[in-house]
Amino acid sequence: MGTENPNHANNYPRPSAPPFARQSNTLFSSSRSVVASQAAPFRPTSVPAPLSSVPAPPSTAPSLPFGTVVGSAVPGFRPMQTGRPTAPYGPPTTGPFQRFPTAPYLSTPQAPPPHTSPVGQPVLPPTMRPPPPSQVSPMPTFQNRQPHIQPMPMGSPPPSMNGVLSSNNAPQLVNSQYFSSSSNMQRPQPPMGPSHPDAVRASSSSAWPGYPGIQSSTATPAAPVSHQGGYAPPPPTTSAPFSSQGGYGPAPPVASPLGMYVGGSTPPTGVMPGLVEDFSSLSIGSVPGSFDAGLDTKVLPRPLDGDVEPSSFTQMYPMNCNSRYLRLTTSAIPNSQSLVSRWHLPLGAVVCPLAEAPEGEEVPIVNFATTGIVRCRRCRTYVNPYVTFTDSGRKWRCNICALLNDVQNDYFAHLDASGKRVDLDQRPELTNGCVEFVAPAEYMVRPPMPPLYFFLIDVSIYSIQSGMLEVIAQTIKSCLDRLPGNPRTQIGFITFDSTIHFYNMKSSLTQPQMMVVSDLDDIFIPLPDDLLVNLSESRTVVDAFLDSLPSMFQDNVNVESAFGPALKAAFMVMSQLGGKLLIFQSTLPSLGVGRLRLRGDDIRAYGTDKEHALRIPEDPFYKQMAADFTKYQVAVNVYAFSDKYTDIASLGTLAKYTGGQVYYYPSFHSAIHKDKLRHELARDLTRETAWEAVMRIRCGKGVRFTSYHGNFMLRSTDLLALPAVDCDKAYAMQFALEETLLTTQIVYFQVALLHTSSSGERRIRVHTAAASVVADLGEMYRQADTGAVVSLLGRLAIEKSLSYKLEEARNAIQLRIVKALKEYRNLYAVQHRVGTRMIYPESLKYLPLYGLALCKSTALRGGYADSQLDERCAAGFTMMALPVKKMLKLLYPSLLRVDEYLVKSSTQADEFEKLCKRLPLAAESLDSRGIFVYDDGFRLVVWFGQMLSPDISRNLVGEDFATDFSRVSLVERENEMSRKLMAILMKLRGADASYYPLCHLVRQGEQPREGFFLLSNLVEDQVGGMNGYVDWILQIHRQVQQ
């Protein structure tokens, strides 16, 4: 049936009106209570609720664009009978419209209403909006409960239900195909006492009498909705005055038990609040008599705008650190264990402590100098914007453990009348959720280490033939001037094949001295003092070495790899200082300790309980080496190049436990992959890095972190050891409640990263954030952050795949999504007619699609034939460290059509954004007459349709346009079209510098190339036995309904 879409008219039965509805030509003229038939024609809509923060609408009725209305009132509203309760929910009892008033604007979220009504009080059934004028169909017959009133055709419908009436200060409906309400439900109350005078005037200010949800010039009306079978409540027509779903007002709310009124001593009176749908939905269910699934693919939710961060996190607490540093899976913390058990999604956070800040938003650096860093003496929390000062500024209360601490004399400042320090504007640590403290000597176990880069390079035959050695030698040399920490930076090299080669780079030499060790069983270090040198002092020797490195081994035909012994040698050299070890490996380790065997081709293991063993290290040597490296502050980055199996599962362990990362270049060839390797190695060498770091995340009383996920070594229960950290690494963690019931109303989180900067200062990067405690499960779902949920789900699934079959890891993702949506559905199934609709919170509307994308990701998809083992393991290591935005881009890449933009001669700056809109990731988005660019942040694919004009192809790829595209590379040519395409690719690459997406050209129908690079990555299509998006939604919906 499609989704409830405010901009799209469906076919629906047209209601009829009772013949004897009273039509009054007079406005209300007294302020006494209005009863029974007097209330029929008009519903006052602008009675101010006590907590309302929205001005009453102007008292002008809009002009009616179509239809005629006889008399001054819209006919067809039956007087409500007093003293006789009608069925609260169900088909309309009488009259054309089910109606109930709009809930008044409230500044705090409301609990759902109870299912019963006060005795004798009429409960008004939900509103049904009239159809557009163009669609008139007879109303289906329902048994009428008051037989003396006969239905008859209704007069003109209310004016312009589809028009957009808005004002600058009025809340607007979310402009989305999936409606959702911002207001919550509250307990209906009967009108109390005489009407407010404004209610008397409401007859003229209500634009459409009887439609309480629509107010002139303050609402954006939406089109009616059709539902299969009966009436379901429609979407609300006005949204509450908050931009976030069910959002809070400026002050943190007081959580209340479910069903209790929140936000004042008594509920507001004077308006009878009704039931609004506080969720989004998709209508699923075939039209009777047809075989159609009834789901229109066009209306499925898709993240075509990329990652949209929830605004509630910063709006509620403006002093929170930016969400680029810390994202919670929900900004509403559950107040009880029972609520946690009904959440079903991961409850946790994703932290990217050194995320790159845009220009002008640099993290303030605070140096306390003589005072020493101000911390709580009990829980060691750092001073932050949420601590409070008391006793005339002589004491401060810790926001995490509530202890009163003394303020040191050097830090003392008087308080103003509002209790704030008078020097607040000079104290960034008290106004900013993210600061960096300069740490004094007591935070150092040893003097701060210099930045240190050590290179361990495989020089066996494949490294020479593929051109890898030449590219890395050139790249390292080009980056020497940009290495951080100059003039303190240290550097060193070891190369290996079947033997190990050390290089003396003492500054007094003109050429480096090479020393070869061939005894692999008893490794020793020749000249231990001269293998690591100061770069600025030995620069000429280092340059000479890098210039001669490719030619030194150009005739090498050695196919062996003594990687394990070389690794031990590198450890012996680096263990004095620590630093970053960069490994360039192109052959499966075959000699000495740590040698590995070919085990990746064992097809029989797939689908059995032994399958996961292929994805974990075979030899414990690698995990033990990783533990030793971490202990001595060495981070390992692995660059793997091979056209054969190299056991990334084992090699990647080195990066996993030392805070490093894995770069994988399958079938590396310098002619094709040179730019990618050059860019990524340069980024690794020159990005700002924090050395010898430890990270801890503290949280308020009653909450504790239970598990951590990412690339690090856990040193104690909550201390992450990170020998090197940079802006491209993120870490996920889950927390749990320690107590059955939380008594606090706010939970605070504080991430602290103690590290050495490249300049040699010991520093502490501190991120602080607050989140409200709630008693309402609906509020938890409304404030969920899809990006953080998906990041945690992905990490958990990849970890599960290391102990279980891939299928079980995929099923675990689906199961959690199903359980969450089922729980959410149960919240609304009683009050609302949800029928066959699939309902979900607006905040998680993309969760099913991202869940499908996770199951189809390289790390988790299919089985033996769907991706090579090394590629699968490398993808898993990469995804474990990705920040949220990068992860979502990888899961749901962008697909752009660019041929219209290339052909157009216009040079407007915003032309690209106008013409190249993101498309759904499905084959039906492709057009054989066009050019499309696919971008997942790691790979760019330019797809040429078969029917594309040969002139365009010739302009872009020259005379090679008819040949096999695997042998064609895209370079800038002397024509405008080619320049524009290269500018697009440069723009896409510039959006995120952490990786360099290599560009592949693909022609429609050119197999297997097209299938490998593009078709297998179209998430919404059915590929390799995995469901497409529509089938996935239907499957989830069926399981939710069971």
Side-chain angles (χ1 to χ4, degrees):
M1 288 300 300
T3 195
E4 325 312 353
N5 183 350
N7 305 314
H8 175 68
N10 292 330
N11 296 319
Y12 8 87
R14 176 169 182 180
S16 54
F20 306 120
R22 175 177 173 194
Q23 297 181 15
S24 164
N25 288 337
T26 59
L27 301 177
F28 294 134
S29 56
S30 77
S31 58
R32 59 192 170 80
S33 297
V34 181
V35 292
S37 60
Q38 282 175 300
F42 298 97
R43 156 79 53 205
T45 54
S46 54
V47 179
L51 295 173
S52 173
S53 58
V54 177
S59 306
T60 54
S63 59
L64 307 182
F66 61 85
T68 43
V69 179
V70 182
S72 63
V74 176
F77 291 87
R78 186 182 58 74
M80 175 64 80
Q81 293 193 352
T82 51
R84 177 176 178 178
T86 54
Y89 312 107
T93 51
T94 56
F97 299 110
Q98 302 166 303
R99 59 189 175 130
F100 59 86
T102 310
Y105 296 118
L106 292 167
S107 60
T108 50
Q110 307 303 309
H115 307 326
T116 56
S117 61
V119 178
Q121 175 192 332
V123 180
L124 306 180
T127 319
M128 189 190 84
R129 283 177 295 173
S134 59
Q135 296 170 348
V136 181
S137 60
M139 177 166 177
T141 323
F142 287 105
Q143 188 175 355
N144 216 336
R145 298 191 189 178
Q146 273 111 352
H148 64 281
I149 298 180
Q150 297 297 323
M152 66 173 280
M154 189 182 78
S156 303
S160 187
M161 294 294 288
N162 296 322
V164 176
L165 302 164
S166 64
S167 76
N168 293 337
N169 59 356
Q172 300 296 317
L173 252 184
V174 180
N175 183 14
S176 162
Q177 293 176 318
Y178 326 98
F179 67 80
S180 68
S181 157
S182 301
S183 52
N184 294 8
M185 281 66 76
Q186 70 186 47
R187 186 189 303 270
Q189 288 287 321
M192 304 263 204
S195 304
H196 190 282
D198 284 348
V200 179
R201 291 192 294 274
S203 54
S204 59
S205 68
S206 173
W208 300 289
Y211 288 86
I214 302 172
Q215 298 185 358
S216 75
S217 72
T218 57
T220 310
V225 180
S226 94
H227 297 287
Q228 286 291 319
Y231 297 90
T237 45
T238 51
S239 71
F242 313 113
S243 60
S244 63
Q245 287 236 343
Y248 293 95
V254 178
S256 80
L258 189 64
M260 286 181 63
Y261 177 74
V262 184
S265 54
T266 55
T269 56
V271 167
M272 195 181 295
L275 219 52
V276 256
E277 285 197 352
D278 203 5
F279 50 80
S280 304
S281 67
L282 282 169
S283 283
I284 297 176
S286 55
V287 181
S290 83
F291 293 102
D292 180 22
L295 188 59
D296 181 3
T297 56
K298 291 188 180 65
V299 299
L300 291 170
R302 293 178 176 91
L304 298 182
D305 297 324
D307 172 32
V308 181
E309 295 175 26
S311 53
S312 57
F313 186 61
T314 45
Q315 280 178 346
M316 273 186 281
Y317 301 101
M319 290 186 296
N320 275 3
C321 63
N322 193 292
S323 58
R324 73 174 79 93
Y325 304 114
L326 171 68
R327 287 174 74 161
L328 298 172
T329 54
T330 174
S331 304
I333 308 299
N335 75 340
S336 65
Q337 297 281 11
S338 63
L339 215 53
V340 174
S341 65
R342 294 169 61 204
W343 164 243
H344 298 302
L345 295 172
L347 189 61
V350 182
V351 176
C352 187
L354 291 181
E356 281 183 299
E359 286 287 324
E361 288 186 40
E362 287 80 9
V363 176
I365 295 170
V366 178
N367 192 346
F368 283 118
T370 54
T371 316
I373 294 182
V374 181
R375 298 178 72 177
C376 173
R377 67 175 189 272
R378 180 164 67 193
C379 70
R380 308 303 288 152
T381 294
Y382 295 86
V383 67
N384 63 75
Y386 295 106
V387 305
T388 49
F389 289 83
T390 58
D391 193 12
S392 306
R394 286 189 287 272
K395 291 191 182 301
W396 64 275
R397 187 177 296 282
C398 172
N399 55 312
I400 284 188
C401 74
L403 181 75
L404 265 182
N405 293 272
D406 293 325
V407 175
Q408 296 173 12
N409 291 338
D410 295 356
Y411 196 60
F412 174 79
H414 291 286
L415 305 185
D416 62 14
S418 63
K420 291 183 177 146
R421 286 172 60 114
V422 292
D423 65 346
L424 203 60
D425 55 342
Q426 293 145 37
R427 294 285 181 189
E429 73 275 12
L430 298 179
T431 55
N432 204 314
C434 176
V435 290
E436 192 154 284
F437 298 117
V438 177
E442 63 259 31
Y443 288 84
M444 303 176 200
V445 182
R446 60 176 188 171
M449 61 171 279
L452 189 154
Y453 294 89
F454 199 83
F455 301 89
L456 184 62
I457 305 168
D458 180 349
V459 290
S460 59
I461 185 167
Y462 182 75
S463 304
I464 318 302
Q465 289 178 345
S466 65
M468 175 269 272
L469 194 60
E470 188 176 7
V471 176
I472 63 170
Q474 291 171 355
T475 307
I476 294 169
K477 185 179 177 186
S478 70
C479 293
L480 292 178
D481 289 324
R482 294 182 287 145
L483 291 183
N486 205 25
R488 301 166 63 248
T489 312
Q490 304 262 317
I491 196 166
F493 297 86
I494 288 179
T495 58
F496 65 95
D497 44 26
S498 60
T499 56
I500 300 168
H501 324 125
F502 296 88
Y503 299 90
N504 176 3
M505 301 211 178
K506 203 170 174 180
S507 56
S508 57
L509 301 172
T510 52
Q511 287 287 328
Q513 284 179 348
M514 177 176 173
M515 292 154 287
V516 179
V517 173
S518 54
D519 183 356
L520 302 180
D521 297 325
D522 185 18
I523 287 295
F524 69 97
I525 303 294
L527 294 173
D529 297 334
D530 299 327
L531 301 178
L532 266 178
V533 293
N534 180 293
L535 175 60
S536 56
E537 291 172 7
S538 301
R539 178 62 188 267
T540 52
V541 191
V542 173
D543 281 347
F545 168 74
L546 291 170
D547 286 337
S548 59
L549 182 60
S551 57
M552 209 186 298
F553 294 100
Q554 65 187 9
D555 301 323
N556 193 3
V557 291
N558 198 321
V559 295
E560 302 294 346
S561 166
F563 175 64
L567 192 64
K568 290 185 83 168
F571 170 70
M572 292 161 80
V573 175
M574 297 183 74
S575 56
Q576 294 300 311
L577 283 174
K580 190 184 274 191
L581 173 62
L582 292 90
I583 295 172
F584 300 89
Q585 167 75 11
S586 59
T587 312
L588 187 72
S590 59
L591 296 176
V593 63
R595 60 179 167 271
L596 298 168
R597 63 191 177 91
L598 283 165
R599 58 183 182 132
D601 293 331
D602 189 1
I603 191 168
R604 293 166 302 175
Y606 279 85
T608 71
D609 294 336
K610 294 179 183 173
E611 175 194 317
H612 72 272
L614 298 174
R615 296 188 285 275
I616 56 178
E618 182 182 30
D619 190 335
F621 166 77
Y622 290 98
K623 188 167 181 181
Q624 184 54 51
M625 283 303 299
D628 292 342
F629 276 127
T630 304
K631 185 177 177 183
Y632 289 96
Q633 305 295 351
V634 176
V636 180
N637 282 1
V638 178
Y639 290 78
F641 316 81
S642 181
D643 53 351
K644 301 186 183 70
Y645 177 68
T646 45
D647 203 346
I648 299 290
S650 295
L651 300 182
T653 308
L654 294 165
K656 176 178 178 178
Y657 292 109
T658 62
Q661 70 193 92
V662 176
Y663 296 88
Y664 181 52
Y665 305 86
S667 305
F668 179 86
H669 200 281
S670 62
I672 301 167
H673 303 96
K674 177 175 63 181
D675 289 342
K676 183 173 178 65
L677 173 59
R678 190 176 279 167
H679 176 97
E680 288 172 359
L681 177 54
R683 167 100 176 162
D684 188 10
L685 293 174
T686 58
R687 64 187 165 196
E688 185 51 52
T689 301
W691 307 88
E692 47 181 349
V694 288
M695 184 170 84
R696 178 175 268 134
I697 179 164
R698 294 178 172 84
C699 48
K701 189 168 175 283
V703 178
R704 70 183 170 88
F705 281 91
T706 53
S707 65
Y708 299 85
H709 314 276
N711 293 355
F712 54 82
M713 183 73 87
L714 205 56
R715 192 173 285 175
S716 64
T717 51
D718 63 343
L719 190 68
L720 277 61
L722 302 163
V725 195
D726 54 66
C727 54
D728 299 328
K729 307 278 192 310
Y731 310 91
M733 47 218 64
Q734 294 189 89
F735 59 82
L737 301 193
E738 287 185 298
E739 300 161 7
T740 316
L741 209 63
L742 282 186
T743 50
T744 52
Q745 310 208 340
I746 299 174
V747 170
Y748 298 96
F749 299 91
Q750 189 175 77
V751 180
L753 179 80
L754 172 64
H755 65 278
T756 299
S757 69
S758 292
S759 60
E761 266 187 323
R762 202 73 176 133
R763 289 189 180 174
I764 306 158
R765 174 73 67 99
V766 177
H767 304 291
T768 311
S772 298
V773 175
V774 299
D776 175 17
L777 186 64
E779 196 57 40
M780 284 182 71
Y781 280 108
R782 270 188 294 281
Q783 298 211 31
D785 177 349
T786 303
V789 169
V790 170
S791 284
L792 248 170
L793 268 182
R795 284 166 165 84
L796 292 171
I798 289 165
E799 284 179 0
K800 193 178 181 78
S801 75
L802 304 181
S803 312
Y804 297 91
K805 292 185 281 193
L806 287 169
E807 188 181 359
E808 291 180 44
R810 294 193 294 265
N811 289 345
I813 296 173
Q814 184 172 351
L815 186 64
R816 292 190 88 150
I817 294 173
V818 167
K819 280 183 173 176
L821 292 179
K822 181 180 275 189
E823 194 72 55
Y824 187 75
R825 184 183 180 87
N826 291 344
L827 287 178
Y828 297 98
V830 178
Q831 300 104 312
H832 296 274
R833 280 295 190 85
V834 292
T836 60
R837 288 185 294 161
M838 175 173 176
I839 71 168
Y840 47 86
E842 176 72 12
S843 59
L844 293 175
K845 63 185 176 187
Y846 304 134
L847 181 63
L849 179 54
Y850 280 128
L852 175 63
L854 267 175
C855 293
K856 290 185 168 187
S857 65
T858 308
L860 296 171
R861 70 180 171 209
Y864 172 79
D866 293 281
S867 48
Q868 289 183 333
L869 183 56
D870 274 346
E871 197 177 355
R872 192 188 291 282
C873 293
F877 285 125
T878 299
M879 287 168 72
M880 287 299 286
L882 284 183
V884 175
K885 283 189 185 306
K886 190 83 184 157
M887 175 83 125
L888 297 185
K889 174 81 176 284
L890 174 64
L891 292 177
Y892 196 86
S894 53
L895 182 66
L896 308 169
R897 180 168 186 166
V898 298
D899 52 293
E900 292 176 33
Y901 170 72
L902 297 179
V903 172
K904 203 161 184 177
S905 56
S906 164
T907 54
Q908 289 179 13
D910 59 345
E911 197 72 36
F912 174 72
E913 277 74 15
K914 281 184 189 168
L915 289 176
C916 303
K917 293 271 191 275
R918 278 184 72 172
L919 301 167
L921 277 177
E924 62 183 31
S925 298
L926 301 172
D927 179 349
S928 57
R929 292 163 300 182
I931 298 176
F932 293 78
V933 176
Y934 166 94
D935 170 28
D936 66 4
F938 291 82
R939 168 191 288 169
L940 286 167
V941 179
V942 182
W943 184 88
F944 286 69
Q946 276 179 332
M947 314 284 287
L948 182 69
S949 153
D951 294 340
I952 298 178
S953 300
R954 191 179 284 107
N955 278 334
L956 298 177
V957 296
E959 296 306 319
D960 297 334
F961 74 92
T963 59
D964 176 8
F965 269 10
S966 62
R967 293 197 286 273
V968 177
S969 60
L970 207 55
V971 293
E972 191 169 305
R973 298 175 190 279
E974 291 301 316
N975 63 72
E976 182 64 20
M977 214 177 280
S978 175
R979 280 191 286 271
K980 282 168 95 171
L981 180 59
M982 296 309 285
I984 290 174
L985 300 184
M986 191 187 290
K987 182 185 176 78
L988 295 175
R989 284 174 178 142
D992 179 5
S994 55
Y995 289 88
Y996 182 89
L998 200 60
C999 183
H1000 302 274
L1001 294 188
V1002 168
R1003 184 186 281 110
Q1004 185 181 8
E1006 195 173 279
Q1007 298 302 349
R1009 198 174 161 80
E1010 183 192 25
F1012 176 77
F1013 283 121
L1014 185 65
L1015 300 185
S1016 64
N1017 297 311
L1018 296 178
V1019 173
E1020 296 189 23
D1021 287 342
Q1022 231 170 327
V1023 179
M1026 296 277 301
N1027 276 338
Y1029 190 16
V1030 174
D1031 295 332
W1032 172 260
I1033 287 284
L1034 292 173
Q1035 184 180 346
I1036 284 181
H1037 184 55
R1038 275 196 299 274
Q1039 291 175 334
V1040 166
Q1041 284 187 306
Q1042 278 170 8

